[in-house]
Amino acid sequence: MGLLYTGSISNPSTRLPELEGLRAVAALGIVVTHVSFQTALGSAFLERFDYFVAVFFALSAFLLARGTQRPGYYARRVARIAPGYLVCVSVVMVALPALSGISLRQILANLFLVQVYVPDGLVAGLTHMWSLCIEVAFYLILPAYLALRTRGRIVALIVAVVCSLVWPWLIDAPVSLNLQTTPPSYVPWFAVGLVCAEVERYRFVRQGRNLRWIGPLLGLAVAWLASREWVGPRGLVHPSPAEFNVRILLGAVFAACFLVPFALWPAKTGVLSSSGMTALGKWSYGIFLWHVAVLDIAFPVLGVRVFSGRPVDFLLVLAFTVAVSVAVAYVSYELVEKPASRWIRRGWPTPRTRPAQSRENHPHNSLPATVPGPATAP
């Protein structure tokens, strides 16, 4: 989930430091839902914290779509995603006892980030990487979307969302793959960020609002609603097409509740832009990458039984997983992600930067989107 971070979150006119902290919130929310599941806490509400993946997707879409005109888009994506990911996957596959019998097909699928397209491609310690597969698919097609004029982007977005909602009905048949965890299913979550970018492009943004925290509170209410069994099944039970559509749409609302207040009504200071939260946001990709493997070793290290169902075990395992994941993420960022990213960028040929065209030279209803700049992933 999310989502892979280079540089500051900015465009030529507006920095949004709070979104760095929002990355941290999303990463920690994903940790909470996985710990809740593995300890069998029994909280349907915390199970729906998997909606923080939707926040990561929406963040990625917003930040990439608002970027300035810069060459080397794909080089930046590779430089930011690949080093940390490959180190994490390699270490987990070698060191995790549960993967002692991993097949060559599974190894290659995980190394090349295509595990959601390969039967039994998701393996212990790396199951959460399905969301990164979805993120990469979005990266691949985003430049084509941004090359369209405003009306073309709006039409493309509407068509894509409609097709995404039709998708679960087209794949509702027994197959060896779970096709609900493939890119078409999650278009509405990315659409939240793309719509926010369109709104910001027309400068409808206003500076900080006192009531912005109502958004996240509403998001938590949406998560509670989505956790009700009359909305859809809990746990790993496969939802029907209708239930899956509802789950995805509620996830889009959840993402909007967290993203919109801080993207479109930004403030320069606050909890999310504090030094601690921005540091966690900087390391959040590493937290996402490593936390499931850390969670796997937490039980034997702490002497806690998996699926114990005890609240005290949940708290103990959560504290361990967060602390160790943050520490490993810091090391990963400083020793792997940052230096490798710089090395890849220096060695990747990029075309010359073209002078940016003035907005005033375009009709207001036909502005081309900018070439995507720095952004995120789960």
Side-chain angles (χ1 to χ4, degrees):
M1 345 317 66
L3 239 342
L4 317 169
Y5 319 119
T6 59
S8 62
I9 300 174
S10 64
N11 70 8
S13 61
T14 307
R15 294 193 70 253
L16 303 177
E18 290 176 307
L19 297 192
E20 197 79 76
L22 186 57
R23 289 169 172 162
V25 171
L28 295 175
I30 292 169
V31 175
V32 168
T33 195
H34 287 154
V35 173
S36 172
F37 176 79
Q38 292 283 52
T39 56
L41 183 63
S43 171
F45 174 61
L46 293 184
E47 286 180 13
R48 283 282 74 88
F49 271 36
D50 60 356
Y51 276 167
F52 279 107
V53 174
V55 176
F56 264 128
F57 286 0
L59 262 171
S60 291
F62 174 67
L63 294 171
L64 284 168
R66 77 187 295 262
T68 56
Q69 288 188 342
R70 299 174 61 199
Y73 164 73
Y74 289 115
R76 290 193 303 277
R77 294 298 91 222
V78 170
R80 194 58 190 96
I81 298 170
Y85 175 80
L86 289 175
V87 169
C88 176
V89 169
S90 299
V91 170
V92 170
M93 288 194 296
V94 169
L96 204 66
L99 295 181
S100 59
I102 190 171
S103 69
L104 178 61
R105 181 181 65 178
Q106 290 172 318
I107 291 173
L108 294 176
N110 281 270
L111 287 175
F112 288 96
L113 257 178
V114 293
Q115 51 265 58
V116 297
Y117 313 109
V118 176
D120 300 318
L122 297 174
V123 297
L126 300 171
T127 52
H128 60 306
M129 299 300 188
W130 71 267
S131 62
L132 199 53
C133 295
I134 309 302
E135 189 88 23
V136 167
F138 170 74
Y139 290 162
L140 291 174
I141 66 172
L142 182 62
Y145 167 82
L146 293 179
L148 301 172
R149 298 288 182 174
T150 303
R151 289 176 179 171
R153 293 195 302 272
I154 293 172
V155 171
L157 202 54
I158 293 172
V159 170
V161 169
V162 171
C163 290
S164 176
L165 296 177
V166 172
W167 175 247
W169 302 87
L170 299 178
I171 60 173
D172 189 30
V175 292
S176 57
L177 287 173
N178 180 7
L179 295 177
Q180 287 184 345
T181 56
T182 51
S185 300
Y186 299 95
V187 172
W189 293 3
F190 291 105
V192 171
L194 295 176
V195 170
C196 285
E198 294 295 337
V199 172
E200 188 200 41
R201 191 169 290 120
Y202 285 94
R203 301 177 183 178
F204 293 148
V205 178
R206 297 292 182 268
Q207 289 299 310
R209 294 285 190 264
N210 294 330
L211 301 179
R212 292 181 311 152
W213 286 99
I214 291 178
L217 293 176
L218 289 174
L220 295 177
V222 170
W224 177 87
L225 174 65
S227 70
R228 303 303 93 188
E229 289 202 50
W230 46 267
V231 173
R234 291 179 55 187
L236 301 179
V237 178
H238 197 73
S240 69
E243 291 168 338
F244 188 75
N245 278 343
V246 172
R247 180 177 296 180
I248 291 296
L249 291 174
L250 288 176
V253 175
F254 180 90
C257 288
F258 277 85
L259 177 62
V260 169
F262 304 104
L264 301 184
W265 288 279
K268 297 299 182 182
T269 60
V271 174
L272 291 180
S273 57
S274 66
S275 59
M277 291 301 292
T278 53
L280 288 173
K282 184 169 61 177
W283 307 327
S284 57
Y285 178 44
I287 294 172
F288 167 78
L289 288 177
W290 289 95
H291 80 276
V292 173
V294 172
L295 176 58
D296 194 78
I297 66 171
F299 294 95
V301 168
L302 297 173
V304 172
R305 183 167 51 88
V306 180
F307 302 127
S308 68
R310 300 173 59 202
V312 66
D313 289 346
F314 165 76
L315 295 175
L316 186 62
V317 172
L318 178 63
F320 177 92
T321 304
V322 169
V324 175
S325 296
V326 169
V328 174
Y330 168 76
V331 173
S332 174
Y333 181 80
E334 293 295 334
L335 300 185
V336 177
E337 299 165 43
K338 190 162 64 172
S341 177
R342 289 173 180 168
W343 180 79
I344 293 174
R345 288 184 183 193
R346 282 199 298 264
W348 193 299
T350 57
R352 292 182 179 180
T353 304
R354 293 179 299 177
Q357 290 181 295
S358 172
R359 290 178 181 269
E360 286 73 21
N361 293 335
H362 294 278
H364 190 62
N365 65 351
S366 62
L367 279 172
T370 56
V371 175
T376 73

